[in-house]
Amino acid sequence: MAFSSPKVGIISQARMGSTRLPGKIMLEAKGKKLLQYHLERLHWSGYPVIIATTTLSQDDIIVEFCLQHNIPYYRGDEENVLSRFYLCAKQFKLDIIIRVTSDCPLIDGLLIKQAVEEYIAIGEENVYASNCLVRSYPRGFDFEIFSFALLKEAYTQASLPAQKEHVTPYLYQNTSGNIVIRHFVNDQDASRFRITLDTPEDYKLILELIETYYAETLYAAEIIKLLADHPELSLINAHIEQKKI
């Protein structure tokens, strides 16, 4: 089934709670909140961006930020993030969803646009696509693409707590047996680099990238080259291990 003029939207999950770096998305670089960099770079894609946050009072600050910057938002369950995504996508009538997380301030919207165009060209709503199952991009450029039909299937069929907390395991584990997995892979393996935001060391690197090297203006390939050319930068957070699902 080919997509006919699909409504595409990016949903970024955001919350203030973080075990290793609380309030991380509201930290600043050059006087601007990291959440703002995240959103500005996502808008390079040309697709609408929606923040999916929780109903917890601690996340009121995220809603206030969205209202100040005219960013659409949805508030849903803290633990059942799958339901939050499904109800958000349903409210905004999305046909194709790009899932990202707000702790990626240097994410590349043009990279996402290229991937979505390839996804639409495939023309099958049972396809789940991402650049993070086969990891060749640095953490911090992660995205997943899937149809509303697949999201609805996951929402109605997923039963395991991990499937509900992490949104997409039902899809990429091909739980139903009917899901086709597609991988977006970089030409060169840059998976050793880490530009996501989860620890003080991550924040130190992102600060250095933005304040010294203007990384907020660079595309993914340029940031990867920057890290490769300056190995001392990636050493800042090279020892950090990603939290396991």
Side-chain angles (χ1 to χ4, degrees), residues 119 122 124-129 145-147 150 179-180 182:
Y119 180 89
I122 296 169
E124 298 292 337
E125 63 179 17
N126 67 328
V127 172
Y128 160 91
I145 308 170
F146 43 87
S147 66
L150 277 189
I179 298 168
V180 177
R182 291 295 184 103

Side-chain angles (χ1 to χ4, degrees), residues 172-231:
Y172 63 69
Q173 292 168 0
N174 194 12
T175 309
S176 67
N178 299 315
I179 298 168
V180 177
I181 312 295
R182 291 295 184 103
H183 306 289
F184 292 102
V185 181
N186 195 27
D187 293 338
Q188 295 182 326
D189 182 10
S191 60
R192 65 190 182 280
F193 300 128
R194 174 185 173 87
I195 52 171
T196 191
L197 178 65
D198 197 39
T199 69
E201 293 90 342
D202 294 332
Y203 179 45
K204 182 179 179 182
L205 172 60
I206 289 166
L207 269 179
E208 183 70 12
L209 288 171
I210 292 175
E211 295 185 343
T212 302
Y213 296 95
Y214 302 92
E216 76 279 12
T217 68
L218 304 179
Y219 302 125
E222 294 172 317
I223 294 175
I224 290 170
K225 184 177 186 304
L226 174 63
L227 290 170
D229 290 346
H230 296 272

Side-chain angles (χ1 to χ4, degrees), residues 26 39 51 64 90 153 172 182 188 191:
M26 292 299 177
L39 294 167
I51 291 287
E64 291 168 8
K90 184 178 181 181
E153 178 185 326
Y172 63 69
R182 291 295 184 103
Q188 295 182 326
S191 60

Side-chain angles (χ1 to χ4, degrees), residues 21-69:
L21 191 61
K24 58 188 179 182
I25 61 174
M26 292 299 177
L27 295 172
E28 295 188 355
K30 289 201 293 200
K32 184 187 292 187
K33 295 187 188 306
L34 296 184
L35 179 59
Q36 192 167 343
Y37 288 112
H38 171 76
L39 294 167
E40 288 174 354
R41 290 174 63 87
L42 285 175
H43 281 127
W44 292 359
S45 69
Y47 302 125
V49 183
I50 305 154
I51 291 287
T53 190
T54 83
T55 54
L56 297 178
S57 59
Q58 69 184 22
D59 291 325
D60 290 350
I61 187 173
I62 296 174
V63 172
E64 291 168 8
F65 177 92
C66 290
L67 291 171
Q68 289 170 3
H69 294 85

Side-chain angles (χ1 to χ4, degrees), residues 138-157:
R139 291 190 183 277
F141 293 142
D142 296 8
F143 60 83
E144 301 170 282
I145 308 170
F146 43 87
S147 66
F148 181 77
L150 277 189
L151 181 59
K152 183 177 182 179
E153 178 185 326
Y155 173 72
T156 56
Q157 301 298 323

